[in-house]
Amino acid sequence: MAERSALAPAKVNLFLHVGPVDGDGYHPLASLVAFADVGDRIAVAPSDRLSLGVGGEFAAGLEGPGDNLILRALRALGEAAGIGEPPLAVTLDKRLPIAAGLGGGSSDAGAALKLARDALGLDLDNGALADIAGTIGADGPMCLHARTAWADGRGDRLTPEPRLPPLPAVLINPGDPSPTGEVYRAYDAGPPAGADRPRPPQSWEVATVIDWLAGQRNDLQAPATARTPAIARAMAAAARLPDARLVRMSGSGATVFALFDTPAAAAAAARRLSENHPHWWIVRTNLG
């Protein structure tokens, strides 16, 4: 069996409407989730035991292999398949920032589950893998499928949305982490919003979709920027970019995305922003 590898794409919440916490400690939400063409890289190779090696630009920010969602997901896969720990050497090339609102850990786990299933020839379809992915967190199933979808409930009720066109975008992370738990606690301390799901746009042309998204919101943006002022600075810098049509934070932060009408406009904006902020993580991408 040769080494297999796959992209674990960044997840972006194009909007995120969040309701008050329920009796079980969960927040209902409504979101339109898209995936970028950038992300971490996962590889698996045959071995005599399960192991994880981590490298890449942001490897130092991880808590350690023992806490990694990849290992938790693969151990759950082995239990579900009745094989014990999968005998695989896994390598994570960590290219996405940590605590960035991009679903990095869940996306890594989703890619690893599919690679391990195929490498070991396990008779498990994507639905079965999604059930396993759900055990590591609410983002697990959506990141395993890694395709544009409406997310409702706790983020686990997914409706694919194939009509979303590729949205030219720039992703911007100023380098300060935004821990999800702390952001939700700050959100809970303020007036609650609602997990309302809007009607779809009248058409799915890029300009119309961006206009429609401008009428939505990210309910975690205010508490996240209050906790991490660098997010507000990144949003302000993005808003000053020529031709930027919409600027919003993704998930619980700290990554900001800016949308443009054309890939050329997004590429020019990314170059300009990188010159002005050389220490920020800035990439041009297509969402969806």
Side-chain angles (χ1 to χ4, degrees):
M1 179 177 66
E3 179 179 277
R4 299 167 182 253
S5 66
L7 179 73
K11 170 189 71 73
V12 172
N13 296 93
L14 297 174
F15 71 84
L16 181 58
H17 297 174
V18 181
V21 64
D22 63 21
D24 295 326
Y26 290 91
H27 294 80
L29 59 85
S31 184
L32 182 60
V33 177
F35 288 83
D37 53 12
V38 297
D40 296 334
R41 196 82 194 173
I42 309 294
V44 303
S47 180
D48 58 354
R49 62 183 180 87
L50 178 62
S51 65
L52 174 64
V54 182
E57 181 180 359
F58 294 101
L62 294 177
E63 294 182 20
D67 189 57
N68 194 278
L69 291 183
I70 293 173
L71 294 179
R72 289 170 54 187
L74 292 183
R75 289 178 179 128
L77 172 69
E79 182 177 350
I83 62 170
E85 288 196 347
L88 295 170
V90 185
T91 303
L92 166 61
D93 181 4
K94 188 63 185 165
R95 304 178 182 181
L96 297 177
I98 309 297
L102 297 174
S106 296
S107 190
D108 294 343
L113 283 171
K114 288 184 284 192
L115 287 169
R117 184 263 315 271
D118 296 343
L120 299 172
L122 301 178
D123 187 20
L124 296 168
D125 61 17
N126 283 348
L129 291 187
D131 290 339
I132 296 169
T135 66
I136 64 169
D139 278 358
M142 72 173 71
C143 288
L144 179 125
H145 295 304
R147 61 175 182 263
T148 303
W150 301 89
D152 296 285
R154 296 173 178 176
D156 55 346
R157 295 206 310 266
L158 303 174
T159 305
E161 182 48 87
R163 294 174 291 180
L164 184 77
L167 300 176
V170 177
L171 300 180
I172 307 142
N173 188 288
D176 290 4
S178 181
T180 298
E182 294 182 21
V183 173
Y184 269 103
R185 283 191 289 273
Y187 170 79
D188 290 336
D196 51 302
R197 175 171 164 177
R199 295 176 63 86
Q202 293 184 346
S203 81
W204 290 92
E205 297 178 355
V206 169
T208 303
V209 169
I210 295 176
D211 288 341
W212 172 80
L213 285 171
Q216 314 311 322
R217 61 191 192 274
N218 180 345
D219 291 329
L220 300 182
Q221 187 169 291
T225 53
R227 183 203 172 278
T228 309
I231 300 173
R233 292 194 291 271
M235 293 186 66
R240 291 192 294 268
L241 292 170
D243 303 319
R245 292 283 313 282
L246 173 67
V247 175
R248 179 168 289 154
M249 188 186 80
S250 176
S252 57
T255 302
V256 170
F257 65 90
L259 298 182
F260 299 82
D261 285 320
T262 67
R271 288 193 297 270
R272 175 171 177 168
L273 196 61
S274 296
E275 291 171 358
N276 294 334
H277 300 278
H279 301 298
W280 289 1
W281 180 79
I282 300 166
V283 296
R284 195 207 74 76
T285 186
N286 290 306
L287 303 179

